[in-house]
Amino acid sequence: MLLKLEALGGLSPAGTLEEVRAGRRWSELFNGDLAARLCDPSYFKELAALYPGTQLRRAPRLARLALRAAAGLAPGLVPPEKRALVLVTAYASVGSTFEFLDSLLDDGPPLASPTAFSHSVTNMSAAILSQNLDIQGLTLTLTQNDFHQGLEAAGALLQGGLADTVLLGALGEIYGLMPEIEKLARPGGPPPLSDGAIFLSLSPGSPDQKGPPVEFNAPAYGDQGPLAQAWRLASLLAPNPARTVRCGPGRLEIQTREAGS
Amino acid sequence: MEVWVTGLGGLCAAGRNIEEIWASLLAGRRAGPKPPARLLALTEFRNLEGLGHPAFSLPDDCFPEGFRHSARDSLDLAEAAGREALAQAGIAAAELAEGGGLIMGGTAGNALHFLKDYDALRRGAVSPGQGFVDFFEHNPAEGLARRWGLRLPTWTVGNACCSGADAVGLGLSLIRSGRFKRVLAGGADALSLTPYVGFRRLMIYSDEPCRPFDGRRQGLNLGEGAGALMLESADSAGARGARPLARLLAYAAASDAHHLTAPHPEARGLRRAIAAALGQAAVRPAELAFVKAHGTATRDNDRTEALAVNQEIPGTPLWALKGSTGHTLGAAGALETALGVTALNRGRLPASQGFQEADPELKLAPSGPLESLKGSAALCLSLGFGGGNSALLLGRA
């Protein structure tokens, strides 16, 4: 299955995708130095200028990460009902879920926060993205460690004609006691990169425009969480003007927009 | 590409497997929902005010290792439904790994709902709470593959109350992509204190047994359970001599892009999902034997569904199941689709429990019981928080 990369966007503790690319700071993302760092909240100040404001006032931090990373990726020429969204996240909204648990424990069931509860639902970031990017096709949130299956899902939706374009993303946030919980319950340690978001805007590929192939060994990064896997894929897709990235083990291929041109 | 449903599995308060649930539905039995003692016994709240509202619980022995109030409970339910579906299809678990995939939807079962251990950690505990370990080891799809010793692609769908339906729909899409010949798709959710309190705080939880589409409806009751469907390409299933229970004709999903917890007032997304599912398979509304509604019994949900059904498929017999099962959240779409397959396959539609008095505003009411069905197809609808709307179209075998 051949997919075409239309655009990329991301936000990480090392900055936006554009800043990472310009500064050639890819290695910082993967060497563990940024594992415990948060994305700079100053990026959120730009949101008001990037979106019409729907729900921004109440959007939880995880959704704000997603909105900032996906800014400019709305496929304007594709009708809203033919736009789909696939989000892969290991833990969904850690902040909102813990806020609800805190309110439940501190205030008791009669006063637990309904806002935190609704924001804690696993697909809330997808919902907020769909509102702000006017995505009216399928929005699919996968709560798992493997980003590659998100790619499979996006490919199936495009191949089956359920969507003309898919915004595929990975998303995660560091919040509260979560790093401690990971250390206690997962002796192997937390994923190397847990905070931020990365998005690929995908459409069906064109076999006559395939560029030189590059391999992406998704299973090799399978234990690092979906966000780290997606950034590794982005590091192959972003810097080169013409290539086709082969993503094992299902042999999905992604061609960069300039490939073959 | 034609896709068959070759096996079904499910459990909920109405029964421990599809046959038990079906018999219960036909008999019009309603497992009266009551405060979930098992769930409340695990809480350490001194003040239970705001708790004690009814839920549709499973018997304790449905949790083989004991109810833990953790992610493992949902995985236990997923495994029970999955095994039943595999058995009916005549497929060994190991055979799933041969060109197959595994998809499970969920809400509470794949969320950070480890309240007790989180509380302990807040107070300074330094040992890994079992709830934390359970969360990491019992992701519904990944955990099921691990339990069965399978190395195969897995997807855990976290699409709120559409999760089970979207898991089935994703399964259809993956098989039609030609990259998979079979997929076990379903959903599972055990009762969890987090949504139990959360829905109450959103003021959409009923103090009495729920009444889908009834004029006096006050809201939903939670339930727990799982549903699973064995989906196979017709070529693959036929080659091994399997017979279809039904055909899965189409899947369409549409986002309202409107509100986080309320459906679009004009049912924008749901109407589009219904029309797209029918359009994909070139099925006319008159060919529908019934529509299985999401039917949560909240004022908004039932009003929205009524609007969509009246506009897109007027006159189609309506069936609502949550008066018998409760709202099983991430399981609902798969469990209720499995029961939709059963109804279509057997040509009968049980009554919709909980409904007594029509709501004039809705301009429609549940049908049934119907002793025979006229159409050749059936539509199963699911709605979810986040503006999700899903439609699965079934065809007679």
Side-chain angles (χ1 to χ4, degrees), chain A residues 1 102 106 110 112 122-123 136 139 141 143-145 149 152 184 250, chain B residues 49 110 118 122 126 139 142 155-156 158-159 177 179 201 255 272 385:
Chain A
M1 191 185 315
D102 286 337
D106 295 337
T122 48
N123 66 338
Q136 296 186 30
T139 59
T141 296
T143 50
Q144 59 188 58
N145 287 308
Q149 304 314 338
E152 283 275 7
L184 282 170
Chain B
E49 185 190 343
N110 38 316
Y118 179 76
R122 288 197 332 163
V126 291
N139 175 282
E142 293 171 358
W155 292 261
T156 293
N159 264 14
S177 76
R179 299 165 71 79
R201 293 293 294 128
S255 172
R272 204 149 30 77
F385 274 10

PDB file of all heavy atoms in Angstrom, chain A residues 1 102 106 110 112 122-123 136 139 141 143-145 149 152 184 250, chain B residues 49 110 118 122 126 139 142 155-156 158-159 177 179 201 255 272 385:
ATOM      1  N   MET A   1       0.842  -1.190   0.000  1.00  0.00           N
ATOM      2  CA  MET A   1       0.000   0.000   0.000  1.00  0.00           C
ATOM      3  C   MET A   1       0.884   1.250   0.000  1.00  0.00           C
ATOM      4  O   MET A   1       1.800   1.351   0.806  1.00  0.00           O
ATOM      5  CB  MET A   1      -0.893  -0.001   1.249  1.00  0.00           C
ATOM      6  CG  MET A   1      -1.980   1.035   1.223  1.00  0.00           C
ATOM      7  SD  MET A   1      -2.910   1.096   2.775  1.00  0.00           S
ATOM      8  CE  MET A   1      -3.195  -0.627   3.108  1.00  0.00           C
ATOM      9  N   ASP A 102      -8.180  13.130  41.186  1.00  0.00           N
ATOM     10  CA  ASP A 102      -7.916  14.023  42.327  1.00  0.00           C
ATOM     11  C   ASP A 102      -9.215  14.588  42.886  1.00  0.00           C
ATOM     12  O   ASP A 102      -9.418  14.624  44.101  1.00  0.00           O
ATOM     13  CB  ASP A 102      -6.990  15.178  41.898  1.00  0.00           C
ATOM     14  CG  ASP A 102      -5.545  14.731  41.712  1.00  0.00           C
ATOM     15  OD1 ASP A 102      -5.151  13.716  42.302  1.00  0.00           O
ATOM     16  OD2 ASP A 102      -4.826  15.405  40.942  1.00  0.00           O
ATOM     17  N   ASP A 106     -10.413  13.986  46.538  1.00  0.00           N
ATOM     18  CA  ASP A 106     -10.373  15.147  47.434  1.00  0.00           C
ATOM     19  C   ASP A 106     -11.761  15.642  47.799  1.00  0.00           C
ATOM     20  O   ASP A 106     -12.003  16.051  48.937  1.00  0.00           O
ATOM     21  CB  ASP A 106      -9.589  16.293  46.790  1.00  0.00           C
ATOM     22  CG  ASP A 106      -8.121  15.949  46.603  1.00  0.00           C
ATOM     23  OD1 ASP A 106      -7.634  15.065  47.342  1.00  0.00           O
ATOM     24  OD2 ASP A 106      -7.480  16.550  45.729  1.00  0.00           O
ATOM     25  N   PRO A 110     -19.896  13.279  45.202  1.00  0.00           N
ATOM     26  CA  PRO A 110     -20.913  14.297  44.904  1.00  0.00           C
ATOM     27  C   PRO A 110     -20.357  15.557  44.258  1.00  0.00           C
ATOM     28  O   PRO A 110     -21.104  16.301  43.625  1.00  0.00           O
ATOM     29  CB  PRO A 110     -21.505  14.635  46.290  1.00  0.00           C
ATOM     30  CG  PRO A 110     -21.148  13.493  47.167  1.00  0.00           C
ATOM     31  CD  PRO A 110     -19.843  12.997  46.655  1.00  0.00           C
ATOM     32  N   ALA A 112     -17.214  15.592  42.447  1.00  0.00           N
ATOM     33  CA  ALA A 112     -16.157  15.319  41.462  1.00  0.00           C
ATOM     34  C   ALA A 112     -16.412  16.144  40.194  1.00  0.00           C
ATOM     35  O   ALA A 112     -17.553  16.394  39.818  1.00  0.00           O
ATOM     36  CB  ALA A 112     -16.131  13.838  41.138  1.00  0.00           C
ATOM     37  N   THR A 122     -10.940   9.051  26.429  1.00  0.00           N
ATOM     38  CA  THR A 122      -9.720   8.832  25.648  1.00  0.00           C
ATOM     39  C   THR A 122      -9.702   9.542  24.294  1.00  0.00           C
ATOM     40  O   THR A 122      -8.629   9.833  23.779  1.00  0.00           O
ATOM     41  CB  THR A 122      -9.494   7.324  25.412  1.00  0.00           C
ATOM     42  OG1 THR A 122     -10.705   6.734  24.953  1.00  0.00           O
ATOM     43  CG2 THR A 122      -9.049   6.638  26.686  1.00  0.00           C
ATOM     44  N   ASN A 123     -10.869   9.819  23.720  1.00  0.00           N
ATOM     45  CA  ASN A 123     -10.865  10.425  22.384  1.00  0.00           C
ATOM     46  C   ASN A 123     -11.117  11.935  22.412  1.00  0.00           C
ATOM     47  O   ASN A 123     -11.446  12.513  21.372  1.00  0.00           O
ATOM     48  CB  ASN A 123     -11.908   9.746  21.488  1.00  0.00           C
ATOM     49  CG  ASN A 123     -13.331   9.997  21.967  1.00  0.00           C
ATOM     50  OD1 ASN A 123     -13.548  10.302  23.136  1.00  0.00           O
ATOM     51  ND2 ASN A 123     -14.294   9.871  21.080  1.00  0.00           N
ATOM     52  N   GLN A 136     -14.845  15.926   9.558  1.00  0.00           N
ATOM     53  CA  GLN A 136     -16.184  15.364   9.759  1.00  0.00           C
ATOM     54  C   GLN A 136     -16.297  13.913   9.300  1.00  0.00           C
ATOM     55  O   GLN A 136     -17.381  13.349   9.278  1.00  0.00           O
ATOM     56  CB  GLN A 136     -17.238  16.226   9.057  1.00  0.00           C
ATOM     57  CG  GLN A 136     -17.340  17.633   9.645  1.00  0.00           C
ATOM     58  CD  GLN A 136     -18.477  18.428   9.051  1.00  0.00           C
ATOM     59  OE1 GLN A 136     -19.491  17.878   8.657  1.00  0.00           O
ATOM     60  NE2 GLN A 136     -18.309  19.742   8.978  1.00  0.00           N
ATOM     61  N   THR A 139     -13.114   9.787  13.042  1.00  0.00           N
ATOM     62  CA  THR A 139     -12.012  10.112  13.943  1.00  0.00           C
ATOM     63  C   THR A 139     -11.774   8.881  14.800  1.00  0.00           C
ATOM     64  O   THR A 139     -12.680   8.400  15.480  1.00  0.00           O
ATOM     65  CB  THR A 139     -12.313  11.328  14.837  1.00  0.00           C
ATOM     66  OG1 THR A 139     -13.470  11.068  15.613  1.00  0.00           O
ATOM     67  CG2 THR A 139     -12.542  12.570  14.009  1.00  0.00           C
ATOM     68  N   THR A 141      -9.353   7.011  17.637  1.00  0.00           N
ATOM     69  CA  THR A 141      -8.283   7.081  18.631  1.00  0.00           C
ATOM     70  C   THR A 141      -7.871   5.671  19.008  1.00  0.00           C
ATOM     71  O   THR A 141      -8.722   4.847  19.374  1.00  0.00           O
ATOM     72  CB  THR A 141      -8.742   7.842  19.885  1.00  0.00           C
ATOM     73  OG1 THR A 141      -9.037   9.206  19.522  1.00  0.00           O
ATOM     74  CG2 THR A 141      -7.652   7.844  20.953  1.00  0.00           C
ATOM     75  N   THR A 143      -5.586   3.555  21.603  1.00  0.00           N
ATOM     76  CA  THR A 143      -4.867   3.678  22.873  1.00  0.00           C
ATOM     77  C   THR A 143      -3.960   2.466  23.017  1.00  0.00           C
ATOM     78  O   THR A 143      -4.368   1.423  23.532  1.00  0.00           O
ATOM     79  CB  THR A 143      -5.851   3.764  24.055  1.00  0.00           C
ATOM     80  OG1 THR A 143      -6.801   2.701  23.954  1.00  0.00           O
ATOM     81  CG2 THR A 143      -6.607   5.084  24.045  1.00  0.00           C
ATOM     82  N   GLN A 144      -2.745   2.608  22.552  1.00  0.00           N
ATOM     83  CA  GLN A 144      -1.826   1.477  22.531  1.00  0.00           C
ATOM     84  C   GLN A 144      -0.405   1.981  22.340  1.00  0.00           C
ATOM     85  O   GLN A 144      -0.180   3.170  22.128  1.00  0.00           O
ATOM     86  CB  GLN A 144      -2.198   0.524  21.402  1.00  0.00           C
ATOM     87  CG  GLN A 144      -2.172   1.170  20.017  1.00  0.00           C
ATOM     88  CD  GLN A 144      -2.741   0.261  18.939  1.00  0.00           C
ATOM     89  OE1 GLN A 144      -3.875  -0.175  19.020  1.00  0.00           O
ATOM     90  NE2 GLN A 144      -1.929  -0.025  17.940  1.00  0.00           N
ATOM     91  N   ASN A 145       0.531   1.051  22.375  1.00  0.00           N
ATOM     92  CA  ASN A 145       1.931   1.427  22.306  1.00  0.00           C
ATOM     93  C   ASN A 145       2.494   1.441  20.894  1.00  0.00           C
ATOM     94  O   ASN A 145       3.596   1.923  20.673  1.00  0.00           O
ATOM     95  CB  ASN A 145       2.765   0.461  23.161  1.00  0.00           C
ATOM     96  CG  ASN A 145       2.541   0.715  24.626  1.00  0.00           C
ATOM     97  OD1 ASN A 145       2.653   1.844  25.093  1.00  0.00           O
ATOM     98  ND2 ASN A 145       2.182  -0.319  25.373  1.00  0.00           N
ATOM     99  N   GLN A 149       0.418   0.433  13.822  1.00  0.00           N
ATOM    100  CA  GLN A 149      -0.942   0.002  13.499  1.00  0.00           C
ATOM    101  C   GLN A 149      -1.846   1.194  13.180  1.00  0.00           C
ATOM    102  O   GLN A 149      -2.869   1.034  12.510  1.00  0.00           O
ATOM    103  CB  GLN A 149      -1.535  -0.834  14.640  1.00  0.00           C
ATOM    104  CG  GLN A 149      -0.715  -2.049  15.021  1.00  0.00           C
ATOM    105  CD  GLN A 149      -0.246  -2.864  13.830  1.00  0.00           C
ATOM    106  OE1 GLN A 149      -0.818  -2.793  12.747  1.00  0.00           O
ATOM    107  NE2 GLN A 149       0.827  -3.612  14.023  1.00  0.00           N
ATOM    108  N   GLU A 152      -1.346   1.503   9.576  1.00  0.00           N
ATOM    109  CA  GLU A 152      -2.153   0.478   8.888  1.00  0.00           C
ATOM    110  C   GLU A 152      -3.611   0.927   8.778  1.00  0.00           C
ATOM    111  O   GLU A 152      -4.248   0.767   7.737  1.00  0.00           O
ATOM    112  CB  GLU A 152      -2.100  -0.854   9.659  1.00  0.00           C
ATOM    113  CG  GLU A 152      -0.830  -1.650   9.477  1.00  0.00           C
ATOM    114  CD  GLU A 152      -0.878  -2.529   8.228  1.00  0.00           C
ATOM    115  OE1 GLU A 152      -1.843  -2.399   7.448  1.00  0.00           O
ATOM    116  OE2 GLU A 152       0.072  -3.311   8.037  1.00  0.00           O
ATOM    117  N   LEU A 184       7.549   2.719  38.632  1.00  0.00           N
ATOM    118  CA  LEU A 184       7.171   1.684  39.594  1.00  0.00           C
ATOM    119  C   LEU A 184       6.667   0.421  38.900  1.00  0.00           C
ATOM    120  O   LEU A 184       7.009  -0.702  39.295  1.00  0.00           O
ATOM    121  CB  LEU A 184       6.061   2.213  40.518  1.00  0.00           C
ATOM    122  CG  LEU A 184       6.479   3.150  41.642  1.00  0.00           C
ATOM    123  CD1 LEU A 184       5.245   3.773  42.292  1.00  0.00           C
ATOM    124  CD2 LEU A 184       7.297   2.384  42.691  1.00  0.00           C
ATOM    125  N   GLY A 250       4.550  -4.679   7.524  1.00  0.00           N
ATOM    126  CA  GLY A 250       3.488  -4.862   6.535  1.00  0.00           C
ATOM    127  C   GLY A 250       3.817  -4.259   5.190  1.00  0.00           C
ATOM    128  O   GLY A 250       3.012  -4.291   4.278  1.00  0.00           O
TER     129      GLY A 250
ATOM    130  N   GLU B  49     -22.596   9.322  49.429  1.00  0.00           N
ATOM    131  CA  GLU B  49     -23.616  10.167  48.821  1.00  0.00           C
ATOM    132  C   GLU B  49     -23.242  10.407  47.355  1.00  0.00           C
ATOM    133  O   GLU B  49     -22.087  10.679  47.024  1.00  0.00           O
ATOM    134  CB  GLU B  49     -23.669  11.508  49.549  1.00  0.00           C
ATOM    135  CG  GLU B  49     -24.779  12.420  49.061  1.00  0.00           C
ATOM    136  CD  GLU B  49     -24.637  13.832  49.628  1.00  0.00           C
ATOM    137  OE1 GLU B  49     -23.899  14.005  50.625  1.00  0.00           O
ATOM    138  OE2 GLU B  49     -25.247  14.736  49.076  1.00  0.00           O
ATOM    139  N   ASN B 110      -9.145   0.707  29.085  1.00  0.00           N
ATOM    140  CA  ASN B 110      -7.868   1.187  28.583  1.00  0.00           C
ATOM    141  C   ASN B 110      -7.631   2.646  28.989  1.00  0.00           C
ATOM    142  O   ASN B 110      -7.024   3.409  28.256  1.00  0.00           O
ATOM    143  CB  ASN B 110      -7.743   1.010  27.065  1.00  0.00           C
ATOM    144  CG  ASN B 110      -9.024   1.270  26.308  1.00  0.00           C
ATOM    145  OD1 ASN B 110     -10.092   0.818  26.717  1.00  0.00           O
ATOM    146  ND2 ASN B 110      -8.950   1.996  25.218  1.00  0.00           N
ATOM    147  N   TYR B 118      -3.584   4.963  42.820  1.00  0.00           N
ATOM    148  CA  TYR B 118      -3.240   6.379  42.644  1.00  0.00           C
ATOM    149  C   TYR B 118      -3.353   7.111  43.973  1.00  0.00           C
ATOM    150  O   TYR B 118      -2.479   7.911  44.338  1.00  0.00           O
ATOM    151  CB  TYR B 118      -4.180   6.981  41.596  1.00  0.00           C
ATOM    152  CG  TYR B 118      -3.950   8.443  41.321  1.00  0.00           C
ATOM    153  CD1 TYR B 118      -2.877   8.866  40.556  1.00  0.00           C
ATOM    154  CD2 TYR B 118      -4.824   9.408  41.824  1.00  0.00           C
ATOM    155  CE1 TYR B 118      -2.677  10.213  40.291  1.00  0.00           C
ATOM    156  CE2 TYR B 118      -4.628  10.753  41.569  1.00  0.00           C
ATOM    157  CZ  TYR B 118      -3.550  11.151  40.798  1.00  0.00           C
ATOM    158  OH  TYR B 118      -3.354  12.485  40.542  1.00  0.00           O
ATOM    159  N   ARG B 122      -0.333   8.960  45.958  1.00  0.00           N
ATOM    160  CA  ARG B 122      -0.431  10.354  46.418  1.00  0.00           C
ATOM    161  C   ARG B 122      -0.051  10.488  47.870  1.00  0.00           C
ATOM    162  O   ARG B 122       0.449  11.518  48.320  1.00  0.00           O
ATOM    163  CB  ARG B 122      -1.873  10.863  46.247  1.00  0.00           C
ATOM    164  CG  ARG B 122      -2.295  11.107  44.830  1.00  0.00           C
ATOM    165  CD  ARG B 122      -3.538  11.972  44.718  1.00  0.00           C
ATOM    166  NE  ARG B 122      -4.458  11.911  45.840  1.00  0.00           N
ATOM    167  CZ  ARG B 122      -5.404  12.805  46.092  1.00  0.00           C
ATOM    168  NH1 ARG B 122      -5.550  13.841  45.288  1.00  0.00           N
ATOM    169  NH2 ARG B 122      -6.212  12.681  47.114  1.00  0.00           N
ATOM    170  N   VAL B 126       5.408   3.633  47.893  1.00  0.00           N
ATOM    171  CA  VAL B 126       6.542   3.504  46.978  1.00  0.00           C
ATOM    172  C   VAL B 126       6.565   2.152  46.269  1.00  0.00           C
ATOM    173  O   VAL B 126       7.449   1.900  45.460  1.00  0.00           O
ATOM    174  CB  VAL B 126       7.893   3.689  47.712  1.00  0.00           C
ATOM    175  CG1 VAL B 126       8.049   5.125  48.149  1.00  0.00           C
ATOM    176  CG2 VAL B 126       8.007   2.741  48.892  1.00  0.00           C
ATOM    177  N   ASN B 139      -3.804  -3.937  28.454  1.00  0.00           N
ATOM    178  CA  ASN B 139      -4.415  -3.210  27.338  1.00  0.00           C
ATOM    179  C   ASN B 139      -5.269  -4.225  26.564  1.00  0.00           C
ATOM    180  O   ASN B 139      -4.805  -5.327  26.268  1.00  0.00           O
ATOM    181  CB  ASN B 139      -3.311  -2.642  26.446  1.00  0.00           C
ATOM    182  CG  ASN B 139      -3.861  -1.981  25.198  1.00  0.00           C
ATOM    183  OD1 ASN B 139      -4.236  -2.664  24.260  1.00  0.00           O
ATOM    184  ND2 ASN B 139      -3.907  -0.671  25.184  1.00  0.00           N
ATOM    185  N   GLU B 142      -3.712  -5.686  23.048  1.00  0.00           N
ATOM    186  CA  GLU B 142      -2.358  -6.186  23.275  1.00  0.00           C
ATOM    187  C   GLU B 142      -2.370  -7.273  24.349  1.00  0.00           C
ATOM    188  O   GLU B 142      -1.677  -8.293  24.243  1.00  0.00           O
ATOM    189  CB  GLU B 142      -1.439  -5.036  23.715  1.00  0.00           C
ATOM    190  CG  GLU B 142      -1.195  -4.000  22.622  1.00  0.00           C
ATOM    191  CD  GLU B 142      -0.468  -2.765  23.144  1.00  0.00           C
ATOM    192  OE1 GLU B 142      -0.178  -2.680  24.357  1.00  0.00           O
ATOM    193  OE2 GLU B 142      -0.202  -1.855  22.324  1.00  0.00           O
ATOM    194  N   TRP B 155      -5.036  -3.746  17.579  1.00  0.00           N
ATOM    195  CA  TRP B 155      -5.512  -2.371  17.695  1.00  0.00           C
ATOM    196  C   TRP B 155      -6.424  -2.280  18.914  1.00  0.00           C
ATOM    197  O   TRP B 155      -7.331  -3.115  19.069  1.00  0.00           O
ATOM    198  CB  TRP B 155      -6.331  -1.960  16.473  1.00  0.00           C
ATOM    199  CG  TRP B 155      -5.578  -1.842  15.198  1.00  0.00           C
ATOM    200  CD1 TRP B 155      -5.100  -0.703  14.625  1.00  0.00           C
ATOM    201  CD2 TRP B 155      -5.220  -2.897  14.286  1.00  0.00           C
ATOM    202  NE1 TRP B 155      -4.478  -0.983  13.431  1.00  0.00           N
ATOM    203  CE2 TRP B 155      -4.537  -2.320  13.207  1.00  0.00           C
ATOM    204  CE3 TRP B 155      -5.415  -4.291  14.295  1.00  0.00           C
ATOM    205  CZ2 TRP B 155      -4.038  -3.070  12.141  1.00  0.00           C
ATOM    206  CZ3 TRP B 155      -4.928  -5.035  13.237  1.00  0.00           C
ATOM    207  CH2 TRP B 155      -4.243  -4.423  12.175  1.00  0.00           C
ATOM    208  N   THR B 156      -6.219  -1.291  19.761  1.00  0.00           N
ATOM    209  CA  THR B 156      -7.153  -1.003  20.846  1.00  0.00           C
ATOM    210  C   THR B 156      -7.814   0.335  20.536  1.00  0.00           C
ATOM    211  O   THR B 156      -7.156   1.370  20.498  1.00  0.00           O
ATOM    212  CB  THR B 156      -6.436  -0.948  22.204  1.00  0.00           C
ATOM    213  OG1 THR B 156      -5.966  -2.265  22.520  1.00  0.00           O
ATOM    214  CG2 THR B 156      -7.395  -0.506  23.298  1.00  0.00           C
ATOM    215  N   GLY B 158     -10.056   3.437  21.264  1.00  0.00           N
ATOM    216  CA  GLY B 158     -10.545   4.233  22.385  1.00  0.00           C
ATOM    217  C   GLY B 158     -11.427   5.352  21.887  1.00  0.00           C
ATOM    218  O   GLY B 158     -11.102   6.526  22.048  1.00  0.00           O
ATOM    219  N   ASN B 159     -12.537   4.993  21.281  1.00  0.00           N
ATOM    220  CA  ASN B 159     -13.444   5.971  20.686  1.00  0.00           C
ATOM    221  C   ASN B 159     -14.703   6.139  21.529  1.00  0.00           C
ATOM    222  O   ASN B 159     -15.819   6.185  20.992  1.00  0.00           O
ATOM    223  CB  ASN B 159     -13.833   5.538  19.265  1.00  0.00           C
ATOM    224  CG  ASN B 159     -12.982   6.202  18.212  1.00  0.00           C
ATOM    225  OD1 ASN B 159     -11.951   6.772  18.522  1.00  0.00           O
ATOM    226  ND2 ASN B 159     -13.407   6.134  16.966  1.00  0.00           N
ATOM    227  N   SER B 177      -8.944  -4.189   2.705  1.00  0.00           N
ATOM    228  CA  SER B 177      -7.680  -3.679   2.149  1.00  0.00           C
ATOM    229  C   SER B 177      -6.874  -4.806   1.508  1.00  0.00           C
ATOM    230  O   SER B 177      -5.907  -4.551   0.788  1.00  0.00           O
ATOM    231  CB  SER B 177      -6.841  -3.013   3.251  1.00  0.00           C
ATOM    232  OG  SER B 177      -6.225  -3.990   4.079  1.00  0.00           O
ATOM    233  N   ARG B 179      -5.088  -6.907   3.100  1.00  0.00           N
ATOM    234  CA  ARG B 179      -3.894  -7.203   3.891  1.00  0.00           C
ATOM    235  C   ARG B 179      -4.187  -8.175   5.030  1.00  0.00           C
ATOM    236  O   ARG B 179      -3.273  -8.645   5.682  1.00  0.00           O
ATOM    237  CB  ARG B 179      -3.318  -5.900   4.432  1.00  0.00           C
ATOM    238  CG  ARG B 179      -2.906  -4.952   3.308  1.00  0.00           C
ATOM    239  CD  ARG B 179      -2.696  -3.556   3.826  1.00  0.00           C
ATOM    240  NE  ARG B 179      -1.518  -3.446   4.642  1.00  0.00           N
ATOM    241  CZ  ARG B 179      -0.281  -3.360   4.168  1.00  0.00           C
ATOM    242  NH1 ARG B 179      -0.092  -3.407   2.867  1.00  0.00           N
ATOM    243  NH2 ARG B 179       0.736  -3.239   4.964  1.00  0.00           N
ATOM    244  N   ARG B 201     -22.109  12.836  37.469  1.00  0.00           N
ATOM    245  CA  ARG B 201     -21.795  14.254  37.601  1.00  0.00           C
ATOM    246  C   ARG B 201     -22.163  15.037  36.341  1.00  0.00           C
ATOM    247  O   ARG B 201     -22.357  16.241  36.399  1.00  0.00           O
ATOM    248  CB  ARG B 201     -20.308  14.433  37.918  1.00  0.00           C
ATOM    249  CG  ARG B 201     -19.917  13.915  39.284  1.00  0.00           C
ATOM    250  CD  ARG B 201     -20.538  14.743  40.424  1.00  0.00           C
ATOM    251  NE  ARG B 201     -20.008  16.089  40.433  1.00  0.00           N
ATOM    252  CZ  ARG B 201     -20.754  17.187  40.438  1.00  0.00           C
ATOM    253  NH1 ARG B 201     -22.064  17.102  40.438  1.00  0.00           N
ATOM    254  NH2 ARG B 201     -20.182  18.381  40.439  1.00  0.00           N
ATOM    255  N   SER B 255     -17.917  12.281  12.103  1.00  0.00           N
ATOM    256  CA  SER B 255     -17.762  13.091  13.306  1.00  0.00           C
ATOM    257  C   SER B 255     -18.647  14.332  13.211  1.00  0.00           C
ATOM    258  O   SER B 255     -18.697  14.987  12.174  1.00  0.00           O
ATOM    259  CB  SER B 255     -16.296  13.506  13.445  1.00  0.00           C
ATOM    260  OG  SER B 255     -16.162  14.429  14.490  1.00  0.00           O
ATOM    261  N   ARG B 272     -25.372  11.465   8.235  1.00  0.00           N
ATOM    262  CA  ARG B 272     -24.375  11.213   7.182  1.00  0.00           C
ATOM    263  C   ARG B 272     -23.849   9.781   7.257  1.00  0.00           C
ATOM    264  O   ARG B 272     -23.646   9.116   6.234  1.00  0.00           O
ATOM    265  CB  ARG B 272     -23.239  12.225   7.312  1.00  0.00           C
ATOM    266  CG  ARG B 272     -22.487  12.452   6.045  1.00  0.00           C
ATOM    267  CD  ARG B 272     -21.935  13.867   5.910  1.00  0.00           C
ATOM    268  NE  ARG B 272     -21.612  14.520   7.148  1.00  0.00           N
ATOM    269  CZ  ARG B 272     -20.525  14.280   7.869  1.00  0.00           C
ATOM    270  NH1 ARG B 272     -19.676  13.350   7.475  1.00  0.00           N
ATOM    271  NH2 ARG B 272     -20.288  14.952   8.967  1.00  0.00           N
ATOM    272  N   PHE B 385     -19.278  10.076  22.940  1.00  0.00           N
ATOM    273  CA  PHE B 385     -18.686  11.346  23.315  1.00  0.00           C
ATOM    274  C   PHE B 385     -17.613  11.704  22.279  1.00  0.00           C
ATOM    275  O   PHE B 385     -16.978  10.825  21.707  1.00  0.00           O
ATOM    276  CB  PHE B 385     -18.023  11.237  24.689  1.00  0.00           C
ATOM    277  CG  PHE B 385     -18.953  11.467  25.846  1.00  0.00           C
ATOM    278  CD1 PHE B 385     -20.319  11.556  25.671  1.00  0.00           C
ATOM    279  CD2 PHE B 385     -18.451  11.602  27.130  1.00  0.00           C
ATOM    280  CE1 PHE B 385     -21.176  11.768  26.737  1.00  0.00           C
ATOM    281  CE2 PHE B 385     -19.292  11.811  28.220  1.00  0.00           C
ATOM    282  CZ  PHE B 385     -20.663  11.897  28.018  1.00  0.00           C
TER     283      PHE B 385
END
